[in-house]
Amino acid sequence: MTSPRKTWGFSSMRSRTRPPLDEGENYFRRRLFSSFRSDRQRSQGEEDDADKRRTFSDTEIETNKGVFLSSEDQPEVGAMKRFSTLFSSFRGKISKDRTGKELDLPASTELSSVEEKAKEPRYASGQFFFEYLVVVRPKKTKDGIYEPQIIYQFPKRDGMVRFQKEEEEKTLKALTLFCFPEGVNWAPLTEYPSETFSFVLTDVDGTRKNGYCRRLLPDGKGARLPEAYCIISNLACFGLFSKIFDEVEQRRKIAMAMIYPFMQSLRESAFPAPGHTVNIKSFIPDRGTEIISLTRPTDSWLEHVDFRTLFKCLSDDEVLQVFAATVLERRIIFIADELGTLSQVIHAVTVLLYPFIWQHTLISIVPEILIDVVMAPTPYLLGVQKSLADQATDQTELLVVDLSEGRKQTFIKSMGDEDTILPHKLKDEIKQALSAKNENSSLEELNRVVPEAFLPFFIKTVGHFSKYIVRNGKDQPGEFQRTNFCKAIESKSTRRFVKKFVQTQMFDLFVQEIEQRPASQDGTGETHTLN
């Protein structure tokens, strides 16, 4: 029996049924704009419309009905698990609500941190660090232009049948676009600072692969072309792979052949569980055998982000305006010169939504060939290099955020109400919590301060949701009582915000997942209230 074909995309979306592939090389561009539709328009015949994910491919747009997925760094964590973790993490930290009463937080059904650590395995079961490493370099074509091409791949894929080879070729083609999103605009250089960035490839069935890139100028004399080292992995852990690239870069300075034994040792090692360390032995001439320690952060949902870049580029007030626009699922474009800045800021912004998940188009670095995606009428988070900014900012009704140094203004375009979306009192509480950080705060400090600033916002606005999921029987699906849920909020400003937030797809899918769970698993026996 032939295995189903897979097509890797450039985002984490759902879309419609797969078309034939015989419409020519311009199929993708034509179909891109004919397929966009509003996520808010649902007919009776489209009851599953909210459960579709759009996937942008390098040759086509695919569609597949799928299950609700969580974030890029938590593909298997359900909504109730995320919210239960949220409550247990902050029980006792939020002392009083706006009326001065004690906040009534539920008793958690989760293991305590000590119990969880005791039961936690030292290694993540059955996981490789990565699938493969490729090296991409621009090469001059017969037409005199430079196109990115793969010059090295580890490990080599042998024994694949025809359709597997075809699918791998599509994946590798996508990688070259992301490693050098500028397209053909390259020429030999004498200086080029190395940079690290990431992206995500999404299959039509929701399977995600993370791409990590380090671009650098190889050692040599005279003008030469940069190289991109790209690791593809099922694991989302930016900091850990950034450290791996440091080792790859050191070995590249000696010889390309030095990379192979290190990557082989890495691939044969067990991937550590959160909070644990794996030691990799590696030999380097003139230095002997070295032990390289790779440690995963304890909080696995934070291991794919680095908040330092976000708060270096934006002030606290600016971060809150971006957060407000993201919560209401608006179209947002980030502009920067550095690819690492774009990917780190976008990933950090999506983590601020935890325990909710951005459900729409997310392309941390938009290749030049896909720049027309900015014309989509549906919500998106896009990272665009400043050299392409003119092609991306001529749309209406969007927020364009300039992250580059020396900028004249941060918000090139805006809707104008971003500063008034969040309830005033709750916004001040976030700002007060963020004041615990400073310019020299370490990554560990930010990983503590930032969640403690933003997570309570969702507890105080929608933390009472489970009281309003009603069931006709123990084994029957639940039904969310939206009107009563909103009426239960006493603060007028908070109620106005929640009425908008409950219309978003991230909240809708969050509740849908819990509605479908058995009563014994959905946590509705607990009382989550605002006062």
Side-chain angles (χ1 to χ4, degrees), residues 445-461:
E445 290 172 331
L446 288 175
N447 281 351
R448 175 184 57 81
V449 171
V450 177
E452 289 184 9
F454 285 90
L455 283 173
F457 172 81
F458 291 114
I459 294 177
K460 294 183 177 183
T461 53

Side-chain angles (χ1 to χ4, degrees), residues 435 484 497:
S435 66
N484 292 337
F497 166 78

Side-chain angles (χ1 to χ4, degrees), residues 171-204:
T171 301
L172 295 177
K173 180 181 178 181
L175 299 188
T176 63
L177 293 177
F178 282 104
C179 290
F180 289 92
E182 303 91 340
V184 300
N185 300 320
W186 279 99
L189 304 168
T190 56
E191 293 184 2
Y192 181 79
S194 63
E195 57 181 336
T196 307
F197 54 96
S198 63
F199 57 88
V200 177
L201 298 176
T202 306
D203 191 6
V204 292

Side-chain angles (χ1 to χ4, degrees), residues 128-381:
F128 285 113
F129 265 88
F130 66 97
E131 287 196 11
Y132 48 83
L133 164 77
V134 297
V135 182
V136 182
R137 181 190 297 166
K139 282 194 172 183
K140 201 169 188 177
T141 67
K142 294 180 181 179
D143 299 326
I145 60 175
Y146 287 93
E147 290 184 355
Q149 297 180 20
I150 293 175
I151 63 171
Y152 176 85
Q153 178 180 341
F154 171 79
K156 296 290 186 182
R157 299 300 181 92
D158 299 319
M160 293 189 298
V161 297
R162 181 178 176 181
F163 85 88
Q164 290 175 321
K165 291 181 179 178
E166 291 175 349
E167 297 308 323
E168 177 161 284
E169 288 174 0
K170 289 182 180 180
T171 301
L172 295 177
K173 180 181 178 181
L175 299 188
T176 63
L177 293 177
F178 282 104
C179 290
F180 289 92
E182 303 91 340
V184 300
N185 300 320
W186 279 99
L189 304 168
T190 56
E191 293 184 2
Y192 181 79
S194 63
E195 57 181 336
T196 307
F197 54 96
S198 63
F199 57 88
V200 177
L201 298 176
T202 306
D203 191 6
V204 292
D205 64 1
T207 305
R208 296 181 178 183
K209 293 186 184 294
N210 298 282
Y212 302 93
C213 284
R214 171 71 61 88
R215 272 200 340 200
L216 54 88
L217 196 64
D219 284 354
K221 296 181 179 180
R224 54 205 181 277
L225 292 167
E227 295 174 344
Y229 292 75
C230 183
I231 293 176
I232 298 300
S233 175
N234 293 321
L235 307 163
C237 192
F238 184 86
L240 187 148
F241 281 97
S242 182
K243 186 172 182 179
I244 290 172
F245 277 130
D246 291 342
E247 300 296 331
V248 169
E249 188 168 352
Q250 284 188 39
R251 285 154 179 77
R252 178 64 183 92
K253 292 177 180 179
I254 301 172
M256 180 76 78
M258 291 301 304
I259 298 174
Y260 173 85
F262 170 68
M263 298 304 292
Q264 181 66 34
S265 298
L266 185 67
R267 185 169 168 79
E268 293 173 351
S269 299
F271 190 73
H276 290 283
T277 299
V278 62
N279 294 317
I280 310 294
K281 290 184 178 181
S282 180
F283 176 80
I284 297 182
D286 300 327
R287 289 163 54 179
T289 300
E290 296 184 341
I291 302 298
I292 301 161
S293 297
L294 300 172
T295 303
R296 285 185 70 188
T298 302
D299 295 322
S300 60
W301 67 281
L302 293 173
E303 65 185 349
H304 195 51
V305 299
D306 187 337
F307 288 118
R308 290 174 298 187
T309 305
L310 175 66
F311 288 97
K312 177 183 177 182
C313 293
L314 301 176
S315 67
D316 291 357
D317 284 320
E318 290 168 343
V319 169
L320 282 168
Q321 291 186 55
V322 171
F323 172 71
T326 310
V327 166
L328 294 191
E329 297 183 334
R330 293 183 173 179
R331 300 192 305 160
I332 306 175
I333 296 175
F334 295 91
I335 304 292
D337 293 307
E338 299 81 11
L339 300 177
T341 297
L342 291 174
S343 64
Q344 281 299 294
V345 166
I346 287 184
H347 286 307
V349 168
T350 60
V351 169
L352 297 181
L353 300 173
Y354 185 86
F356 299 97
I357 308 303
W358 179 261
Q359 295 294 328
H360 302 277
T361 303
L362 189 156
I363 310 179
S364 57
I365 298 169
V366 179
E368 183 178 23
I369 194 173
L370 296 179
I371 195 63
D372 289 342
V373 72
V374 301
M375 297 174 63
T378 50
Y380 55 58
L381 293 175

